[in-house]
Amino acid sequence: MAALGDRFNRMIGKTRFVVCRVFLHLGGAEVAPLLGVLNQAARTAIDAEGDLEVTGEALVDICQSLLQYDIYWLSASNEGDVIWNEGEAAEYFNELFTDSGQRYLSQPDFSHSVDEHQPLSLPMTRNLVVMITIVAEGEVPDLETDLSSVEAMKEGLKAIINLHYQHRLRGIQVHFSPARLGDELNGDQLLQNFPELVPL
């Protein structure tokens, strides 16, 4: 039935939007450097004041870094929908954005910068959850599927990179927990705050 609806909407010239959120959980002492990549991307996005081209480049950096860290992937999940109305797509995107922003320890703190000469004696988290929420125009088969396997997640992240270069992204938001150096996300907090994660 959905395929019939797709055909009908195509015939009357409606634009198809894919709204999706990807969760990826990485584990191990080696994942802490990713926080640097994520915080840098967040600063870039804030400085760009929502410019999709600049934010998209930052998103590409994040996806490429995640792909390089694939041996540390532990669990994942994804959700989303296909929507034919731009206003409804924006509304759903905002819902997912708000939910991600309220997740445990997902608010970065840019109020103070770390002195580069100050020794880093902060505890390093062994768990990191990255939440990527996007709106894209058209069909994205590699994101419109279950991403709870390593291969599917790799294809999904590559699809997000391609969407940027194809200029098909209409909304981008990245959250991560913990968002601050020194904050820790333990196993119990992980289960409690990210119940949708499925082991990879």
Side-chain angles (χ1 to χ4, degrees):
M1 199 64 199
L4 191 62
D6 273 11
R7 275 207 300 277
F8 177 73
N9 280 309
R10 268 202 295 274
M11 275 171 17
I12 60 172
K14 276 193 158 188
T15 305
R16 183 183 200 272
F17 296 98
V18 176
V19 183
C20 77
R21 174 166 60 170
V22 175
F23 292 85
L24 183 56
H25 162 223
L26 301 93
E30 298 77 12
V31 302
L34 259 177
L35 274 176
V37 174
L38 292 160
N39 273 293
Q40 182 55 53
R43 284 176 202 268
T44 300
I46 289 167
D47 292 346
E49 295 176 352
D51 181 293
L52 264 181
E53 188 60 32
V54 177
T55 309
E57 282 296 331
L59 179 60
V60 167
D61 289 344
I62 289 171
C63 290
Q64 287 174 336
S65 296
L66 290 172
L67 285 163
Q68 287 167 0
Y69 276 74
D70 63 339
I71 59 169
Y72 303 109
W73 297 0
L74 294 182
S75 56
S77 179
N78 65 303
E79 62 183 318
D81 207 350
V82 172
I83 299 172
W84 292 92
N85 176 295
E86 193 169 354
E88 286 175 26
E91 204 173 291
Y92 184 37
F93 175 77
N94 288 333
E95 270 176 45
L96 294 177
F97 162 79
T98 303
D99 178 71
S100 293
Q102 291 170 345
R103 295 292 177 127
Y104 183 71
L105 297 178
S106 68
Q107 291 299 319
D109 177 17
F110 298 129
S111 60
H112 65 279
S113 55
V114 177
D115 178 1
E116 61 184 58
H117 301 297
Q118 176 186 337
L120 276 179
S121 58
L122 295 167
M124 293 293 185
T125 184
R126 295 185 62 82
N127 289 299
L128 175 63
V129 177
V130 180
M131 295 162 272
I132 299 173
T133 309
I134 62 155
V135 182
E137 224 174 273
E139 294 183 21
V140 196
D142 287 328
L143 291 175
E144 296 175 49
T145 186
D146 180 9
L147 299 184
S148 59
S149 77
V150 170
E151 277 315 307
M153 179 59 73
K154 283 182 180 179
E155 293 309 311
L157 291 174
K158 288 174 191 171
I160 292 172
I161 293 170
N162 289 334
L163 287 170
H164 167 66
Y165 292 121
Q166 293 163 359
H167 305 287
R168 289 169 56 199
L169 289 171
R170 298 292 171 263
I172 300 167
Q173 198 60 52
V174 178
H175 290 85
F176 44 99
S177 170
R180 308 179 196 196
L181 202 59
D183 282 350
E184 291 184 81
L185 178 64
N186 67 32
D188 289 344
Q189 292 160 339
L190 194 66
L191 288 171
Q192 190 179 338
N193 295 284
F194 301 96
E196 52 276 273
L197 290 171
V198 176
L200 288 170

